[in-house]
Every structure is written in structure tokens, then in C-alpha cells.
Amino acid sequence: MEVALSVILILMILGAIFAIHAKDLLSAVISCSIVGYGLVICFLLLNAPDLAIVQIVVETITLVIMVAVVLDCTREEPFTKPDPQGYINIAAAVIIVVAIFFFLKGATGSLDKFGEGTLRMAKYYIEGAAEKTGSANLVTGVVFDFRGYDTLGEATVLVTAVIGVLTILRIKGKK
Amino acid sequence: MKGMTIIVKKTTQLICGIVFLYGVYVIIHGHLTPGGGFAGGVIVAGSFILLILAFGSDFMHLTREETGSTITENFGVLVALIIALTGMALGTKVFFLNWLPKGKVGELISAGVIPLYNIFVGIEVAASILTIFLALLIFKEELTR
């Protein structure tokens, strides 16, 4: 399974890199969705259908809205001169990546094996959660019972986002 | 905005109701099968977005729909908050108390108030996504006028 995950992760990284360098805005949006749909397959491989459903639905809606937006704007990317300071940026990025890999290598040695070992809190959630909450789907039981505050915050964040969109995209009030 | 060709319109007529019903199914069975308020709400919003994109709509309709969806969204999150507060109204000092009878695990009517949260969060999410989409459309219509 780790081999399949690695292949999908490499594909996602390639899609993200192509999205940055694509000449056409539409192809950039579509190649960016490779990342989202690859994540769906990763979730399915890791036995997380709940996350997979949310991810695939949200990714599809976002792609539809983004395509509808992109079709109405200028799709060609304006030509920009190469930045003379670009080499310094690339060198800094490479140094940071090497440093992060060095410390990650040291940190992962102290972790449990992949897919094994649960935290103390997760153990408490798993043991008898169906009897405690009455919900057969454990994820919903955790989301709406043990972590009700968190879910209320998520719902409120969505409302706030909508209010922000309505405030920004208003022409009449600005005049 | 204008609608699309007759092929798209006919396919939308066939598919749209099924998509809507599937979203409602995911919301209602949120405590039994994978899914829940967030996923089902986005599916329901997707059926509306499909209809608007395929058939098109004029400016007056869009603003009226936006008013309705904004009210629905605020209603959904308000009712979810009120359900969370009902536990306090019953005398206990617990926010988000699951005070309804739990029932048998695995049946459709079980798990106390969790299905109610699912339904109202689903309404709220569907209306939010639809409102964002309508706001973008109205912005474009206002720019072209």
C-alpha cells in the first residue's frame, strides 16, 4: 500500500508543479485538481471513506466554479521577465528543504510504525463510542458529540466566509 | 446568464433530481453510513448549481434566489445552535448534550440529537455554497450591465 501511496503522491506533486508553470489558466485549474482527486484515492487507500466523500464532492464543486470563473477572464498568462534574484530564492528553497528533510528523518525514527499505534485520546473515542453516542458511524459520533464545539466553529466559519464574499462582491454599496 | 444547448438541458433534467435525492440520503443517513451534513449539503448545492448552469437565469431571479439562500443559511446555523443550547434549558450545565433517547444502534431513528445536527448543518452548508456561487454570478451580471 505504501508503494501505491508514494506513486499517487508523486503524481500529485507533478500536477501541482505543472499547475504553476502552465501557460493557459484553464489547464492550470484542471491540473491543480489532480492534487484533489489524488488525495481522494489516498483517503480511500487509508480506509477513510468519510473524508473521501467530502473531498471528492468539494473538489468537484470547486472545479466547476473555478472553470466557470476562468472561462470569463483572460486565459493567457502575461509574459514576465525572469527575475535576476531568482537564483538566490532557489538556493534558499533548496537549503530549507534539505534542513527540513534532515530534521524529519530524525523525528520519524521515534514514531510508531505506519498505520499502527493509536493515541490515548483516540483509544477513548474508539472504545464503546457506538454505545456512548448511539451513532453507528463513529466519525459522526465524534464530530457531533465529543467535538461539538469544533463542528459549531466549522459551521460558523462557513457563514463568516459567505458574509465576507457578499461584502467584497458588492458593487452597489461601493458607489 | 444564458443557458446551454438542448443536450445539456435534457441530461440535467434526467440527472438533477437523482443528485438532489442522493444528497438528502447522505444527510439523513449521516449517523449510519459515511457522509453527513457537510458532504450531503455540498451534494445538494451541486444539484442547484447544475440547474442554474444548464438552464441559465436572469438578474431578477438570481437576486431573489440569493436573498432566499442567505436567509436559509443563517436559519440553519441558528437552529443548530439552539439545539445545542436545549440541553442547558433542560437543567443540566452541558453544552451539546445528547438528551434525546439513544435508541438501538444502527437504526434510522437513533443516536438522539445527532441526526438533527446533521440535517440543519446540511441545510446550512448547501445554502452557503449556493450563496457563494450566486454572488459570483450576480457580480458578473452587474459588471456586464
Side-chain angles (χ1 to χ4, degrees):
Chain A
M1 194 180 70
E2 292 179 26
V3 178
L5 273 182
S6 311
V7 171
I8 294 168
L9 283 176
I10 290 172
L11 200 68
M12 284 161 65
I13 292 172
L14 286 181
I17 291 175
F18 183 77
I20 297 173
H21 293 287
K23 287 273 179 289
D24 194 22
L25 209 55
L26 186 63
S27 57
V29 167
I30 290 174
S31 64
C32 201
S33 71
I34 292 175
V35 180
Y37 287 118
L39 199 61
V40 172
I41 302 173
C42 286
F43 283 147
L44 282 179
L45 284 177
L46 293 171
N47 296 330
D50 246 302
L51 290 173
I53 287 178
V54 174
Q55 176 67 28
I56 197 168
V57 168
V58 170
E59 185 67 35
T60 309
I61 296 290
T62 318
L63 186 63
V64 167
I65 292 179
M66 285 305 287
V67 167
V69 167
V70 160
L71 284 180
D72 285 332
C73 22
T74 54
R75 282 164 52 181
E76 290 295 321
E77 194 175 351
F79 179 75
T80 49
K81 275 186 190 169
D83 193 5
Q85 284 188 336
Y87 297 107
I88 302 173
N89 292 347
I90 291 173
V94 167
I95 290 172
I96 289 173
V97 163
V98 168
I100 286 177
F101 263 103
F102 178 72
F103 288 115
L104 259 183
K105 193 90 177 32
T108 45
S110 62
L111 287 177
D112 288 336
K113 254 185 85 180
F114 182 66
E116 285 175 19
T118 47
L119 300 172
R120 255 182 311 155
M121 203 64 205
K123 238 174 235 161
Y124 172 75
Y125 284 159
I126 292 169
E127 279 168 10
E131 283 73 35
K132 278 178 208 153
T133 62
S135 158
N137 181 7
L138 211 154
V139 176
T140 308
V142 171
V143 162
F144 283 106
D145 201 304
F146 296 127
R147 296 195 162 190
Y149 278 115
D150 193 11
T151 312
L152 189 66
E154 280 172 32
T156 319
V157 161
L158 206 54
V159 173
T160 319
V162 171
I163 291 173
V165 168
L166 287 179
T167 314
I168 292 170
L169 293 182
R170 168 177 74 136
I171 291 182
K172 257 181 212 156
K174 280 183 184 169
K175 279 177 185 168
Chain B
M1 63 176 290
K2 276 194 301 185
M4 293 186 185
T5 57
I6 184 136
I7 301 172
V8 181
K9 281 183 183 172
K10 211 70 200 171
T11 318
T12 308
Q13 279 179 352
L14 291 175
I15 286 178
C16 195
I18 301 172
V19 173
F20 182 82
L21 277 183
Y22 181 65
V24 173
Y25 164 82
V26 169
I27 292 176
I28 290 179
H29 288 244
H31 57 295
L32 302 177
T33 53
F38 287 98
V42 182
I43 297 175
V44 169
S47 73
F48 285 105
I49 290 175
L50 189 65
L51 268 182
I52 293 173
L53 279 182
F55 285 88
S57 189
D58 59 342
F59 187 72
M60 291 303 292
H61 279 104
L62 283 178
T63 43
R64 212 185 306 149
E65 282 167 15
E66 194 195 25
T67 313
S69 66
T70 315
I71 292 171
T72 315
E73 165 209 2
N74 289 319
F75 163 79
V77 76
L78 192 66
V79 172
L81 190 58
I82 287 173
I83 293 173
L85 284 171
T86 46
M88 287 174 143
L90 290 176
T92 55
K93 291 191 176 60
V94 184
F95 196 43
F96 273 96
L97 180 71
N98 198 346
W99 53 275
L100 279 175
K102 301 267 166 54
K104 227 171 91 183
V105 174
E107 282 184 359
L108 182 59
I109 299 178
S110 67
V113 288
I114 289 178
L116 293 178
Y117 287 134
N118 258 330
I119 290 169
F120 287 108
V121 168
I123 290 172
E124 187 253 329
V125 171
S128 304
I129 303 280
L130 189 62
T131 310
I132 292 177
F133 180 71
L134 287 173
L136 287 171
L137 274 187
I138 289 171
F139 181 69
K140 185 187 141 202
E141 295 276 311
E142 277 186 340
L143 273 187
T144 50
R145 266 141 69 99

